[in-house]
Amino acid sequence: MLCIGLVFDFFGKEFAFNYDKFIIDLKNVDSLRMMVKSREPDAYGEYPLVKVKTVIENINGNLEIDNPANKSGRKPFPKYPVFNSFKDSYAFYNKKQIQGGKYPKDKFYFHLEPFTIDSLDNFSNEGLVFKGSMETAGIFPTFKESLTLQPDYSLGFITQAPPSGYPMYGGKGTYNAVIKLSHQGLRGDGSINYVTSVTQSKDFIFFPDSTNAAIAENFDIKQQKTKPEFPQMHGDNVKMHWAPMKDVMNVWNNKEKKIQSYNGQSEFNGKLSLTPKQLYGSGTTDFSNAKMDAKLIKFFSNTFSSDTANFSLKALDIAQLAFATDNVNAKIDFDKRMGEFKSNGKGSIVKFPVNQYVCFMDNFKWFMDDATIELGSSKNPTAKAANEDLDLVGPEFISVHPKQDSLRFQSPSAKYDLKKYIITAKEVKYINVADARIYPDKGDVIIEKDALMRTFANAKIVANAVTKYHNLYNCTVNVFARKSYAGSGFYDYIDELKTKQTFYFSNVSVDTTFQTYAETSIADSSKFRLSPNFEYKGLVKLKAINQYLVFAGSARISHDCAAIPKTWFSFESEVNPNNIYIPVSKEPLNDAGKPIAASMMVTTDSTHFYSAFLSPKESQNDPHVLPAEGLLFFDKGSREYRISNKEKLVERSLPGNYLSLNTSTCKMYGEGKIDLGGDFGQVKVESFGSAVHFLIPDSVIFDMIMSIDFSLMVAQLIKWRIKSWVCRS
């Protein structure tokens, strides 16, 4: 090592002193280390020497100690000592302390031309100037510059790029303005042009494989409508990382400010990746009250798209989302002012928070200016076997209201009004509610805020959905929940002759077992008939579980037999209009609740015999001679009303009382057990047989078998009694 005045230290070998020339030949100097005066005084007001961080390597030259004629040093020669560099030397920046050693020695260095430094024992800091050229490992092309002492006591420079800028990384970009070199690395204060972007920063850090800016004050992408397309974008105080070997520039916005895009139509929050072919993004775009999140967004001149995105729309006048969906293929077009979305997979869930509904969607379109969304299905309905419903397709809409128990329906097309928060579902085949199936008029279903389903008009109700026993039409229906609805509608009663009679159910609802029921009242003035043979007035009840309507009122038979007054009689029963059986109790009542009879009768005083066929008794105490109960049936072949048990009505030979009224002949016929009336004391009488009462003329014939348990003493009395009845009749 050769030390000159504590300022210059030469490290090397093969040093030789030439006394005559009074020089030292420095043939092989590994490095030159220098000391300079500190810019700041110490505690004593002195300016101590500070080591220069950069060393000069691979030096060859000599040191002129003094004028050869002044070897004794008696005369002052201020320019001595003098160091002469004869060959090229180098300054390297590959130390770990310099940006982690990212500047390789073989590609990044400053090439010093031969130089001379005089006054080595009395030089100024400003006197350190080394001309040469800079090799930047391909960051910039080689350029001429001079090394000088930098604020951090390293050798470097501050220079200006030419007016046209420096090409970067083999022409992949262009840099303009200030370039700085020190032990802080190769840095810049200027702008980078890459593809259609311009990035401005006061502190770029240039590396052989990348350029970075912790803060780029301005980042702009110029719109390019021709291929490859790029949108307009602007960001303030962004973070930038440019990897030229991968030909991509990544930009992140700061948390306080998003990147403005599409001329103010959109904002982006996240990471942008710019390449010569495409601008990509990973993050969130906000536009027109909408937000889209995606890990990969492709940006074009006036559109952007993503294969997999989450999308939501804010409510216009309330602080919540109006619409949201996940996992969709999305495309936004600012020229058309429209967004198109397709489900990835079987269907993405779409949320309507204001309406408290969700649906499973195949695709939808959003019209920005109209503030509407059209939802649809890419599938077509396929027919099932005969008498079956179509397979329901399209988005399934499901209520998430806590009191609606997941009320749901399917619609192949729907529209959502973002201004009024109204879902209008089209082509809805039906809605299953409780046990019923409700068919909306024209297939329209409208959902308002808070899951309110708008009242249906002209709807159809089928109850229940499995048996389909009952059909109501022109219905007004309010659906409240999955198992609750109420309404009103018309019902067609079709009798055995296919005659249609219509009545109106004003109260259609659901009972505690979630079964549909309805009730109405038929007035006498309506002239309603269960069939041509039965008039009816009173309540009509529909119970979906029953195949037929329940009639709870009064019926009246039709005949012209004057001896049998036509009387309303009360009953409650399910009635099959094609095969009517009406229950007749043991003690039937009329419509006023007073007793009537179905029996052959005898007066209390035994003065005469008469018949009652669901008609009043002459006296409430008149004995029933041949009563009948069970079911009332009209036989069209014989034109007879018949009363008996169901089995005997089908097979007359079976036991039981039987009573009939022939409407053509006005003949009453009865068979079974006959009660002759009276109390015979010790005589027990049981009679069985038949009786015919000809109402026109009034006459009765009995054909019976009597069982008499009596003593011989009363035989004559019984004989006289029987003879007396026959004669009076």
Side-chain angles (χ1 to χ4, degrees):
M1 180 183 77
L2 177 63
C3 181
I4 307 297
L6 302 177
V7 177
F8 288 82
D9 294 333
F10 294 90
F11 296 86
K13 56 185 178 180
E14 299 181 18
F15 296 174
F17 176 61
N18 186 322
Y19 180 77
D20 292 335
K21 296 181 179 181
F22 209 53
I23 64 174
I24 300 174
D25 290 323
L26 305 174
K27 294 182 179 181
N28 191 358
V29 177
D30 293 331
S31 60
L32 167 60
R33 185 175 65 192
M34 295 168 281
M35 304 285 285
V36 294
K37 284 185 179 181
S38 171
R39 295 186 180 90
E40 302 293 333
D42 61 15
Y44 303 101
E46 300 291 334
Y47 291 84
L49 293 176
V50 178
K51 186 183 296 183
V52 176
K53 295 179 180 179
T54 309
V55 298
I56 299 173
E57 301 184 35
N58 301 330
I59 297 175
N60 183 291
N62 65 21
L63 179 65
E64 299 179 23
I65 301 171
D66 206 339
N67 191 305
N70 190 38
K71 294 182 175 68
S72 63
R74 291 181 179 182
K75 296 180 181 181
F77 288 92
K79 77 169 188 177
Y80 292 99
V82 177
F83 174 73
N84 299 297
S85 170
F86 299 146
K87 295 183 179 180
D88 295 339
S89 53
Y90 302 90
F92 300 105
Y93 296 84
N94 61 322
K95 293 181 179 179
K96 285 288 184 183
Q97 302 93 309
I98 305 174
Q99 298 297 332
K102 292 184 179 180
Y103 299 107
K105 187 174 183 179
D106 58 336
K107 294 180 180 179
F108 189 97
Y109 54 84
F110 190 87
H111 177 197
L112 286 75
E113 299 172 355
F115 61 87
T116 296
I117 305 176
D118 59 16
S119 306
L120 293 183
D121 59 354
N122 189 27
F123 77 101
S124 65
N125 290 1
E126 292 75 15
L128 285 180
V129 179
F130 303 97
K131 294 182 179 181
S133 59
M134 184 68 203
E135 295 288 344
T136 59
I139 300 172
F140 302 112
T142 303
F143 57 87
K144 295 287 186 179
E145 196 45 67
S146 296
L147 288 183
T148 59
L149 188 66
Q150 299 301 303
D152 65 347
Y153 298 101
S154 67
L155 293 179
F157 54 77
I158 300 176
T159 188
Q160 188 81 24
S164 60
Y166 276 136
M168 299 182 69
Y169 303 106
K172 292 185 177 181
T174 303
Y175 178 78
N176 288 278
V178 177
I179 301 173
K180 304 175 185 179
L181 178 66
S182 69
H183 273 220
Q184 301 300 314
L186 186 64
R187 308 177 88 101
D189 178 357
S191 64
I192 294 174
N193 291 63
Y194 174 68
V195 193
T196 65
S197 73
V198 178
T199 307
Q200 294 179 323
S201 176
K202 294 181 180 179
D203 190 19
F204 287 114
I205 305 178
F206 305 110
F207 297 111
D209 62 350
S210 64
T211 293
N212 299 279
I215 299 176
E217 287 75 19
N218 291 289
F219 172 74
D220 287 281
I221 298 177
K222 183 180 179 181
Q223 184 182 28
Q224 180 170 296
K225 296 184 178 181
T226 58
K227 292 185 178 182
E229 295 183 23
F230 295 98
Q232 178 277 331
M233 288 205 172
H234 172 77
D236 294 323
N237 299 326
V238 302
K239 176 184 175 182
M240 187 274 286
H241 172 73
W242 180 22
M245 302 304 109
K246 297 179 180 178
D247 219 354
V248 59
M249 178 180 284
N250 297 314
V251 174
W252 296 262
N253 65 291
N254 64 48
K255 294 181 180 180
E256 288 74 27
K257 199 163 186 180
K258 298 175 182 178
I259 294 174
Q260 304 299 309
S261 56
Y262 295 96
N263 300 304
Q265 297 182 88
S266 176
E267 292 182 333
F268 178 77
N269 181 33
K271 173 186 174 183
L272 290 176
S273 298
L274 177 63
T275 74
K277 295 181 179 180
Q278 183 75 66
L279 175 66
Y280 301 93
S282 175
T284 302
T285 53
D286 290 274
F287 52 99
S288 299
N289 278 331
K291 182 172 75 171
M292 191 176 88
D293 297 315
K295 292 183 178 179
L296 179 61
I297 304 172
K298 296 180 181 179
F299 296 98
F300 301 91
S301 172
N302 252 332
T303 66
F304 62 86
S305 62
S306 176
D307 291 338
T308 306
N310 300 332
F311 176 76
S312 62
L313 282 164
K314 300 175 186 175
L316 298 178
D317 55 359
I318 52 179
Q320 68 180 105
L321 293 177
F323 180 90
T325 184
D326 296 337
N327 191 26
V328 292
N329 183 307
K331 180 181 179 181
I332 306 299
D333 191 321
F334 288 111
D335 283 334
K336 296 180 180 179
R337 303 290 296 160
M338 184 177 74
E340 294 184 84
F341 305 84
K342 293 183 180 180
S343 169
N344 291 319
K346 293 183 178 180
S348 298
I349 186 169
V350 174
K351 302 173 185 176
F352 302 87
V354 176
N355 304 79
Q356 293 185 270
Y357 257 79
V358 299
C359 79
F360 292 92
M361 172 274 302
D362 287 322
N363 60 77
F364 67 88
K365 293 181 180 179
W366 168 47
F367 299 93
M368 300 181 194
D369 297 332
D370 292 340
T372 58
I373 296 174
E374 291 183 357
L375 299 101
S377 172
S378 59
K379 300 176 182 178
N380 295 317
T382 55
K384 290 184 178 180
N387 300 320
E388 292 288 333
D389 296 307
L390 291 176
D391 282 333
L392 297 183
V393 297
E396 183 178 30
F397 289 81
I398 303 172
S399 170
V400 293
H401 192 288
K403 294 183 179 180
Q404 291 194 348
D405 192 24
S406 300
L407 173 66
R408 63 188 63 202
F409 61 88
Q410 284 184 260
S411 168
S413 63
K415 187 175 183 178
Y416 186 52
D417 188 328
L418 289 158
K419 295 177 182 177
K420 298 179 180 178
Y421 310 109
I422 291 177
I423 303 169
T424 302
K426 297 286 187 179
E427 301 179 59
V428 178
K429 300 296 183 184
Y430 55 78
I431 305 174
N432 288 326
V433 185
D435 66 332
R437 184 163 288 178
I438 298 171
Y439 294 83
D441 181 42
K442 299 178 182 178
D444 292 346
V445 176
I446 297 175
I447 307 298
E448 300 181 5
K449 289 182 181 180
D450 300 319
L452 176 64
M453 186 175 288
R454 190 174 289 180
T455 301
F456 293 116
N458 300 320
K460 185 173 78 170
I461 301 173
V462 175
N464 57 43
V466 177
T467 62
K468 300 180 176 62
Y469 287 150
H470 303 286
N471 291 270
L472 292 92
Y473 62 94
N474 289 347
C475 299
T476 299
V477 183
N478 286 301
V479 176
F480 306 117
R482 191 173 185 179
K483 297 180 180 179
S484 177
Y485 78 95
S488 59
F490 292 90
Y491 189 99
D492 288 338
Y493 177 87
I494 300 174
D495 67 16
E496 59 189 5
L497 300 179
K498 306 305 178 186
T499 301
K500 181 172 69 175
Q501 298 174 89
T502 301
F503 45 81
Y504 179 71
F505 279 114
S506 59
N507 179 25
V508 182
S509 192
V510 178
D511 63 20
T512 56
T513 63
F514 310 114
Q515 300 290 322
T516 294
Y517 74 86
E519 189 172 288
T520 191
S521 180
I522 298 177
D524 185 11
S525 59
S526 66
K527 306 299 182 182
F528 179 81
R529 289 179 173 272
L530 296 174
S531 75
N533 310 294
F534 295 100
E535 298 176 70
Y536 180 80
K537 67 177 183 178
L539 294 179
V540 180
K541 299 178 182 180
L542 183 154
K543 296 182 179 180
I545 197 170
N546 295 336
Q547 184 174 0
Y548 305 110
L549 296 175
V550 173
F551 291 84
S554 300
R556 187 166 64 181
I557 62 177
S558 298
H559 63 85
D560 295 320
C561 300
I564 304 293
K566 289 193 291 185
T567 306
W568 293 103
F569 63 93
S570 299
F571 77 97
E572 180 171 353
S573 175
E574 187 177 354
V575 174
N576 177 357
N578 295 311
N579 194 20
I580 296 176
Y581 286 89
I582 297 175
V584 176
S585 66
K586 185 176 182 179
E587 297 178 352
L589 303 173
N590 66 10
D591 57 341
K594 294 182 178 180
I596 56 176
S599 176
M600 291 183 176
M601 309 288 295
V602 66
T603 59
T604 306
D605 58 5
S606 302
T607 58
H608 71 278
F609 185 92
Y610 68 96
S611 291
F613 198 93
L614 295 171
S615 55
K617 296 185 284 186
E618 293 183 8
S619 172
Q620 291 300 321
N621 296 322
D622 288 348
H624 293 68
V625 176
L626 205 165
E629 61 178 287
L631 296 172
L632 169 64
F633 174 75
F634 182 77
D635 182 75
K636 292 184 289 293
S638 63
R639 303 299 299 168
E640 286 182 350
Y641 290 99
R642 298 173 178 176
I643 300 174
S644 188
N645 60 65
K646 183 69 175 287
E647 294 75 12
K648 188 170 182 65
L649 288 174
V650 175
E651 177 52 61
R652 288 275 298 278
S653 63
L654 294 176
N657 278 20
Y658 172 92
L659 193 65
S660 69
L661 170 63
N662 189 296
T663 59
S664 298
T665 62
C666 292
K667 180 180 72 174
M668 283 278 290
Y669 172 81
E671 64 180 53
K673 186 176 181 180
I674 299 173
D675 186 354
L676 297 177
D679 183 3
F680 298 102
Q682 296 180 357
V683 179
K684 295 181 180 180
V685 179
E686 284 190 337
S687 304
F688 298 90
S690 64
V692 178
H693 183 188
F694 296 96
L695 302 177
I696 305 173
D698 186 10
S699 62
V700 179
I701 298 176
F702 283 87
D703 183 5
M704 60 183 178
I705 298 173
M706 299 181 65
S707 170
I708 303 175
D709 184 2
F710 60 91
S711 64
L712 292 175
M713 294 175 60
V714 296
Q716 187 63 36
L717 177 62
I718 295 172
K719 180 178 179 181
W720 170 85
R721 180 84 177 206
I722 294 173
K723 185 176 181 181
S724 175
W725 283 337
V726 173
C727 291
R728 290 194 193 103
S729 299

